[in-house]
Amino acid sequence: MDYTTLGRTGLKVSVAGLGCGGPSRLGLRANKSAKEAAALVRRAIDMGVNFLDTAEVYGTEEIVGKALEAIPRDRVVISTKKAFPLSDPANPAGELRKGLEQSLKRLKSDYIDVYHAHGVEPQDYGYVSDRLVPEMLKLKEEGKIRFLGITEAFVEDMDHRMLQQALKEGYWDVIMVGYNMLNQSARTKILPGTLKENVGTLVMFAVRRALSRPERLREVWADLVQKGLVAGNACDPEDPLNFLLREGKASTIVDAAYRFCRHEPGVHVVLSGTGSADHLKANIESLTKPPMPPPVTARLKEIFGKVDCITGN
Ligand SMILES: NC(=O)c1ccc[n+]([C@@H]2O[C@H](COP(=O)([O-])OP(=O)(O)OC[C@H]3O[C@@H](n4cnc5c(N)ncnc54)[C@H](OP(=O)(O)O)[C@@H]3O)[C@@H](O)[C@H]2O)c1
């Protein structure tokens, strides 16, 4: 495993983070048992992963807590999240505190390393900043959370308007942003700001359906051509990213996708969620491989440089 420093938090983290949410939720979505899911978490830790991302709404905090029972707490960095919008917006401080206490109980821990406001949409950012941040700062002072984080609602906010607001304020030690080969807009809209302020940066959506299923990639490509966002003659419409295997020497499109994100300057941790031990192993291998050759990365940047309106799902 390769390790890096998560920006100004100073935390030493694995470049591969285990995503305990996403479409797989550690395999729970495919009806795997909690025991199997906990075994997957332990397997990731055995392979050197020390960054675990979960959330109160994923239903996986308890599994993470169980998986960590026999592991010294300081060997892992736990990132979890308070669902947003709140169910009781009139009492943000109370609801946040209650949510955190419940997360701590499920995770069997006295503290959270990175506690995020989860999936904040642009129109809600002002509320989060005015009403939630003061309580988050109190919880930090009390030692219950070590660092404040915020994650975007990428599906609703594909050009990162919320995070652009958040980066103008100094509260956020860590952010989570959607970034992948198809929508690279975070490179110009978000990463210059995180680099300047040394904000810890987590990437989600490195691989979703378009980069793991050829038929979905063909659909997405045709849609981008039709919208005039990519040049139709830039790729083979039947197999748009085949040059990554030929010239990029990637073993698969998924391999290329993880390596592309991993080596983007400013990105600290790339999250990968799966219910499959084989995928976990392959993804960790990809995230610890060298970058693809510079001309291949440059070609990807050229082809998809104007795209900021898809998630890659
Ligand atoms: N707003 C937010 O805060 C937010 C939103 C989304 C996600 N997240 C967090 O970020 C993490 C990463 O999310 P994500 O959106 O990037 O999705 P993800 O959770 O990483 O899911 C990846 C998807 O790709 C499949 N996959 C993984 N490896 C594969 C491989 N080698 N070959 C083929 N298919 C593969 C997985 O299915 P299999 O089970 O079949 O492998 C899964 O469906 C999440 O787990 C979650 O912790 C946060």
Side-chain angles (χ1 to χ4, degrees), residues 181-182 184 187 221 230-237 239-248 260 292-306:
M181 297 193 293
L182 307 175
Q184 307 172 19
R187 187 170 51 252
W221 176 259
V230 294
N233 60 1
C235 290
D236 173 356
D239 193 3
L241 295 178
N242 58 10
F243 67 95
L244 299 176
L245 310 185
R246 250 190 357 259
E247 296 153 37
F260 178 79
M292 289 184 285
V296 172
T297 308
R299 185 168 166 195
L300 277 170
K301 290 178 181 174
E302 166 84 29
I303 295 171
F304 294 101
K306 281 198 247 161

Coordinates of all heavy atoms in Angstrom, one line a residue, residues 181-182 184 187 221 230-237 239-248 260 292-306:
M181 N -12.6 10.0 -15.0 CA -12.1 10.2 -16.3 C -13.1 11.0 -17.2 O -12.7 11.7 -18.1 CB -11.7 8.9 -17.0 CG -10.6 8.2 -16.4 SD -9.9 6.8 -17.4 CE -11.3 5.7 -17.5
L182 N -14.4 10.8 -16.9 CA -15.4 11.4 -17.8 C -15.8 12.8 -17.4 O -16.1 13.6 -18.2 CB -16.7 10.5 -17.8 CG -16.4 9.0 -18.1 CD1 -17.7 8.2 -18.0 CD2 -15.9 8.9 -19.6
Q184 N -14.1 15.6 -15.3 CA -12.8 15.9 -14.7 C -12.9 17.4 -14.2 O -11.9 18.0 -13.9 CB -11.7 15.8 -15.7 CG -11.6 14.5 -16.4 CD -10.5 14.5 -17.5 OE1 -9.7 15.3 -17.6 NE2 -10.7 13.5 -18.4
R187 N -10.8 19.2 -11.4 CA -9.4 19.6 -11.6 C -9.3 21.1 -11.6 O -8.3 21.7 -11.1 CB -8.8 18.9 -12.8 CG -7.3 19.2 -12.8 CD -6.6 18.4 -13.9 NE -7.2 18.5 -15.1 CZ -7.8 17.5 -15.8 NH1 -8.0 16.4 -15.2 NH2 -8.4 17.8 -16.9
W221 N -21.2 7.9 -24.0 CA -20.4 8.5 -25.1 C -21.3 9.1 -26.1 O -21.2 10.3 -26.5 CB -19.4 7.5 -25.7 CG -18.7 8.1 -26.9 CD1 -18.9 7.9 -28.2 CD2 -17.6 9.0 -26.8 NE1 -18.1 8.6 -29.0 CE2 -17.2 9.3 -28.1 CE3 -16.9 9.6 -25.7 CZ2 -16.2 10.2 -28.4 CZ3 -15.8 10.4 -26.1 CH2 -15.5 10.7 -27.4
V230 N -18.1 16.4 -26.5 CA -16.9 15.7 -27.0 C -16.9 15.6 -28.5 O -18.0 15.7 -29.1 CB -16.8 14.3 -26.4 CG1 -16.6 14.3 -24.9 CG2 -18.0 13.4 -26.8
A231 N -15.8 15.5 -29.1 CA -15.7 15.4 -30.6 C -16.0 13.9 -31.0 O -15.3 13.0 -30.5 CB -14.3 15.8 -31.1
G232 N -17.0 13.7 -31.8 CA -17.4 12.4 -32.2 C -16.3 11.5 -32.8 O -16.3 10.3 -32.6
N233 N -15.4 12.2 -33.4 CA -14.3 11.4 -34.1 C -13.1 11.2 -33.1 O -12.1 10.6 -33.5 CB -13.8 12.1 -35.4 CG -13.3 13.5 -35.1 OD1 -13.2 13.9 -33.9 ND2 -12.9 14.2 -36.1
A234 N -13.2 11.6 -31.9 CA -12.1 11.4 -30.9 C -12.0 10.0 -30.5 O -10.9 9.6 -30.0 CB -12.3 12.3 -29.8
C235 N -13.0 9.2 -30.5 CA -13.0 7.8 -30.0 C -13.9 6.9 -30.9 O -14.8 7.4 -31.6 CB -13.6 7.8 -28.6 SG -12.5 8.6 -27.3
D236 N -13.6 5.6 -30.7 CA -14.5 4.6 -31.4 C -15.8 4.5 -30.6 O -15.8 4.1 -29.5 CB -13.7 3.3 -31.3 CG -14.5 2.1 -31.8 OD1 -15.7 2.3 -32.2 OD2 -13.9 1.0 -31.9
P237 N -16.9 4.8 -31.3 CA -18.2 4.8 -30.6 C -18.6 3.5 -30.0 O -19.3 3.4 -29.0 CB -19.2 5.3 -31.6 CG -18.5 5.2 -32.9 CD -17.1 5.2 -32.7
D239 N -16.4 1.4 -28.7 CA -15.5 1.0 -27.6 C -14.6 2.3 -27.3 O -13.4 2.3 -27.5 CB -14.6 -0.1 -28.1 CG -13.8 -0.8 -26.9 OD1 -14.0 -0.4 -25.8 OD2 -13.0 -1.7 -27.2
P240 N -15.3 3.3 -26.7 CA -14.7 4.6 -26.7 C -13.3 4.7 -26.0 O -12.5 5.5 -26.4 CB -15.7 5.5 -26.0 CG -17.0 4.8 -26.1 CD -16.7 3.3 -26.2
L241 N -13.1 3.9 -25.0 CA -11.9 4.1 -24.2 C -10.8 3.0 -24.5 O -9.9 2.8 -23.7 CB -12.2 4.2 -22.7 CG -13.0 5.4 -22.3 CD1 -13.3 5.4 -20.8 CD2 -12.3 6.7 -22.7
N242 N -11.0 2.3 -25.7 CA -10.1 1.2 -25.9 C -8.6 1.6 -26.0 O -7.7 0.8 -25.7 CB -10.5 0.4 -27.1 CG -10.5 1.2 -28.4 OD1 -10.0 2.4 -28.4 ND2 -11.0 0.7 -29.5
F243 N -8.3 2.9 -26.3 CA -6.9 3.3 -26.3 C -6.2 3.2 -24.9 O -5.0 3.2 -24.9 CB -6.8 4.7 -26.9 CG -7.4 5.8 -26.0 CD1 -6.6 6.5 -25.2 CD2 -8.7 6.1 -26.1 CE1 -7.1 7.5 -24.4 CE2 -9.3 7.2 -25.3 CZ -8.4 7.9 -24.4
L244 N -7.0 3.2 -23.9 CA -6.4 3.1 -22.5 C -5.8 1.7 -22.3 O -4.8 1.6 -21.6 CB -7.5 3.3 -21.4 CG -8.1 4.6 -21.5 CD1 -9.2 4.7 -20.4 CD2 -7.1 5.7 -21.2
L245 N -6.3 0.7 -23.0 CA -5.8 -0.7 -22.9 C -4.6 -0.8 -23.8 O -3.5 -1.3 -23.4 CB -6.8 -1.7 -23.2 CG -8.2 -1.6 -22.5 CD1 -9.0 -2.8 -22.9 CD2 -8.0 -1.5 -21.0
R246 N -4.7 -0.2 -25.0 CA -3.6 -0.3 -26.0 C -2.5 0.6 -25.7 O -1.4 0.1 -25.4 CB -4.2 0.2 -27.4 CG -4.4 -0.9 -28.4 CD -4.7 -0.4 -29.7 NE -4.9 1.1 -29.9 CZ -6.1 1.7 -29.9 NH1 -7.2 1.0 -29.8 NH2 -6.2 3.0 -30.1
E247 N -2.7 1.9 -25.6 CA -1.6 2.8 -25.4 C -1.3 3.1 -23.9 O -0.2 3.4 -23.5 CB -1.9 4.1 -26.0 CG -2.0 4.0 -27.5 CD -3.0 5.1 -28.1 OE1 -2.9 6.2 -27.6 OE2 -3.7 4.7 -29.1
G248 N -2.4 2.9 -23.1 CA -2.2 3.2 -21.6 C -1.7 2.0 -20.8 O -1.4 2.2 -19.7
F260 N -6.1 6.9 -13.0 CA -6.2 8.3 -13.4 C -6.5 9.2 -12.2 O -5.9 10.3 -12.0 CB -7.4 8.4 -14.4 CG -7.7 9.8 -14.9 CD1 -6.9 10.4 -15.9 CD2 -8.8 10.5 -14.3 CE1 -7.2 11.6 -16.3 CE2 -9.0 11.8 -14.8 CZ -8.2 12.4 -15.8
M292 N -0.7 6.1 -15.8 CA -0.6 5.8 -17.2 C 0.4 6.7 -17.9 O 0.7 7.8 -17.3 CB -2.0 5.9 -17.8 CG -2.9 4.8 -17.4 SD -4.5 4.8 -18.2 CE -5.3 6.2 -17.4
P293 N 0.9 6.4 -19.1 CA 1.9 7.3 -19.7 C 1.3 8.7 -19.9 O 0.1 8.8 -20.2 CB 2.1 6.6 -21.1 CG 1.7 5.2 -20.9 CD 0.6 5.2 -19.8
P294 N 2.1 9.7 -19.7 CA 1.6 11.1 -19.8 C 0.8 11.4 -21.1 O -0.3 12.1 -21.0 CB 2.8 12.0 -19.7 CG 3.8 11.1 -18.9 CD 3.5 9.7 -19.3
P295 N 1.2 10.9 -22.3 CA 0.4 11.2 -23.5 C -1.1 10.7 -23.4 O -2.0 11.3 -23.9 CB 1.1 10.6 -24.6 CG 2.5 10.3 -24.1 CD 2.4 10.1 -22.7
V296 N -1.2 9.6 -22.7 CA -2.5 9.0 -22.6 C -3.4 9.8 -21.7 O -4.6 10.1 -21.9 CB -2.4 7.5 -22.1 CG1 -3.8 6.9 -21.8 CG2 -1.7 6.7 -23.1
T297 N -2.8 10.2 -20.5 CA -3.6 11.1 -19.6 C -3.9 12.4 -20.3 O -5.0 12.9 -20.2 CB -2.7 11.3 -18.3 OG1 -2.3 10.0 -17.9 CG2 -3.5 12.0 -17.3
A298 N -3.0 12.9 -21.1 CA -3.2 14.2 -21.8 C -4.3 14.0 -22.8 O -5.2 14.9 -22.9 CB -1.9 14.6 -22.5
R299 N -4.4 12.9 -23.4 CA -5.5 12.6 -24.4 C -6.8 12.6 -23.7 O -7.8 13.1 -24.2 CB -5.2 11.3 -25.1 CG -6.2 11.1 -26.2 CD -5.7 9.9 -27.1 NE -6.8 9.5 -28.0 CZ -6.9 8.4 -28.7 NH1 -5.8 7.6 -28.7 NH2 -7.9 8.1 -29.4
L300 N -6.9 12.0 -22.5 CA -8.1 11.9 -21.8 C -8.6 13.3 -21.4 O -9.8 13.7 -21.4 CB -7.9 11.1 -20.5 CG -8.1 9.6 -20.6 CD1 -7.6 8.9 -19.3 CD2 -9.5 9.2 -20.9
K301 N -7.6 14.1 -21.0 CA -7.9 15.5 -20.5 C -8.5 16.3 -21.7 O -9.4 17.1 -21.6 CB -6.7 16.2 -19.9 CG -6.3 15.6 -18.6 CD -5.1 16.2 -18.0 CE -4.7 15.6 -16.7 NZ -3.5 16.0 -16.1
E302 N -7.9 16.1 -22.9 CA -8.3 16.8 -24.1 C -9.7 16.3 -24.5 O -10.5 17.2 -24.8 CB -7.2 16.4 -25.2 CG -7.6 16.7 -26.6 CD -7.2 18.2 -27.0 OE1 -6.3 18.7 -26.3 OE2 -7.9 18.7 -27.8
I303 N -9.9 15.0 -24.5 CA -11.2 14.5 -25.0 C -12.4 15.0 -24.0 O -13.4 15.5 -24.5 CB -11.3 13.0 -25.0 CG1 -10.3 12.5 -26.1 CG2 -12.7 12.5 -25.3 CD1 -10.0 11.0 -26.0
F304 N -12.2 14.9 -22.7 CA -13.3 15.1 -21.8 C -13.2 16.5 -21.1 O -14.0 16.7 -20.2 CB -13.4 14.0 -20.8 CG -13.7 12.7 -21.4 CD1 -12.7 11.7 -21.6 CD2 -15.0 12.4 -21.7 CE1 -13.0 10.5 -22.2 CE2 -15.3 11.2 -22.3 CZ -14.3 10.2 -22.6
G305 N -12.3 17.4 -21.6 CA -12.0 18.6 -20.9 C -13.3 19.5 -20.7 O -13.3 20.3 -19.7
K306 N -14.3 19.4 -21.5 CA -15.4 20.3 -21.4 C -16.6 19.7 -20.6 O -17.6 20.3 -20.5 CB -16.0 20.6 -22.8 CG -15.1 21.7 -23.6 CD -15.9 22.2 -24.7 CE -15.3 21.8 -26.0 NZ -16.2 21.9 -27.2

